Amino acid sequence: MKKVISLLICAVLFCLCFAGCGEKPEETPVDTTQHTKVKVTMENGGEFIIELYPEYAPETCQNFIKLVNEKFYDGLTFHRIVDGFMAQGGSSDGQGYEGSDETIHGEFAINGFEQNTLSHTRGVISMGRTNDFNSASSQFFICYSDDYVSSLDGRYAGFGKVIEGMEVVDSFTEVQLTYNSMGELAVPVEPIVIKSMEVIK
């Protein structure tokens, strides 16, 4: 079992990917004292709340809030579910190949960004990317476990955590899955649709 999970981790390190494109957005100051909260409402009525941590990844948080306010995520899906590992969403094509038009700097240690010490534990939300460290745009993943996923620390930009409703994210693993191009049993047969995301006070 550990061997299988290790293979999955290798796959995600190589393939937490999508074809992000466009220019890096203009950087503006972020108030790192404010923990903005985002409510995610699923099409089936489930809800969960993400708290963002700009003290770890300010540009990542800013980009995520921008996309939420633009309603970019409304109607998109969680296209990749790996039980015990993570749930990935935010792909504009619903298959994990596309993102938003703008890419951002990778705020993690192996990209020279040392202040991001947020560990990829259960409930933590982090950015997906290609092998290009600065390719993240809109795709994100939510960690299911404290085990194994910590190998992503310093390699992906964790930027917040699910603080309410993690059972809704857990329920994604209960749907019927089929295989993706990497050989993972990870693609929901029935789409797991995000009805809306909104910044809340």
Side-chain angles (χ1 to χ4, degrees):
M1 183 62 182
K2 286 188 176 180
K3 184 177 180 181
V4 172
I5 294 174
S6 296
L7 288 173
L8 287 174
I9 291 169
C10 290
V12 81
L13 287 172
F14 185 74
C15 298
L16 261 175
C17 63
F18 57 95
C21 57
E23 299 295 324
K24 179 180 175 181
E26 182 179 342
E27 294 184 9
T28 54
V30 174
D31 185 351
T32 58
T33 66
Q34 296 299 312
H35 283 183
T36 300
K37 295 180 177 65
V38 173
K39 182 170 77 171
V40 182
T41 302
M42 303 304 296
E43 191 176 65
N44 67 3
E47 294 181 351
F48 59 95
I49 295 175
I50 299 165
E51 185 173 44
L52 305 183
Y53 301 146
E55 66 269 32
Y56 295 111
E59 184 180 346
T60 304
C61 289
Q62 177 181 285
N63 178 67
F64 189 74
I65 292 168
K66 173 179 176 288
L67 293 173
V68 168
N69 287 335
E70 291 174 352
K71 305 298 181 184
F72 176 87
Y73 291 112
D74 297 7
L76 298 187
T77 63
F78 283 87
H79 62 275
R80 184 176 177 220
I81 310 297
V82 181
D83 193 6
F85 193 17
M86 59 89 203
Q88 186 172 349
S91 169
S92 56
D93 67 355
Q95 299 181 48
Y97 297 110
E98 299 291 339
S100 61
D101 290 335
E102 298 174 331
T103 57
I104 58 175
H105 180 74
E107 294 178 313
F108 43 85
I110 63 169
N111 200 32
F113 195 85
E114 300 289 345
Q115 81 181 56
N116 193 344
T117 57
L118 182 62
S119 184
H120 288 75
T121 55
R122 175 172 165 79
V124 164
I125 181 172
S126 187
M127 292 302 291
R129 61 170 176 82
T130 68
N131 289 330
D132 178 351
F133 291 167
N134 299 314
S135 61
S137 63
S138 63
Q139 288 195 49
F140 62 89
F141 59 97
I142 299 172
C143 300
Y144 276 130
S145 174
D146 292 345
D147 301 325
Y148 306 107
V149 186
S150 61
S151 63
L152 304 180
D153 293 355
R155 304 181 63 87
Y156 288 84
F159 64 99
K161 187 173 185 177
V162 175
I163 59 168
E164 293 181 31
M166 188 61 191
E167 67 277 4
V168 174
V169 184
D170 289 336
S171 73
F172 300 166
T173 65
E174 299 170 5
V175 306
Q176 183 180 355
L177 301 172
T178 188
Y179 290 93
N180 62 19
S181 61
M182 295 182 290
E184 295 175 315
L185 186 63
V187 180
V189 173
E190 293 293 328
I192 301 174
V193 180
I194 300 167
K195 180 179 180 181
S196 66
M197 284 193 189
E198 60 179 319
V199 174
I200 59 175
K201 301 298 183 183

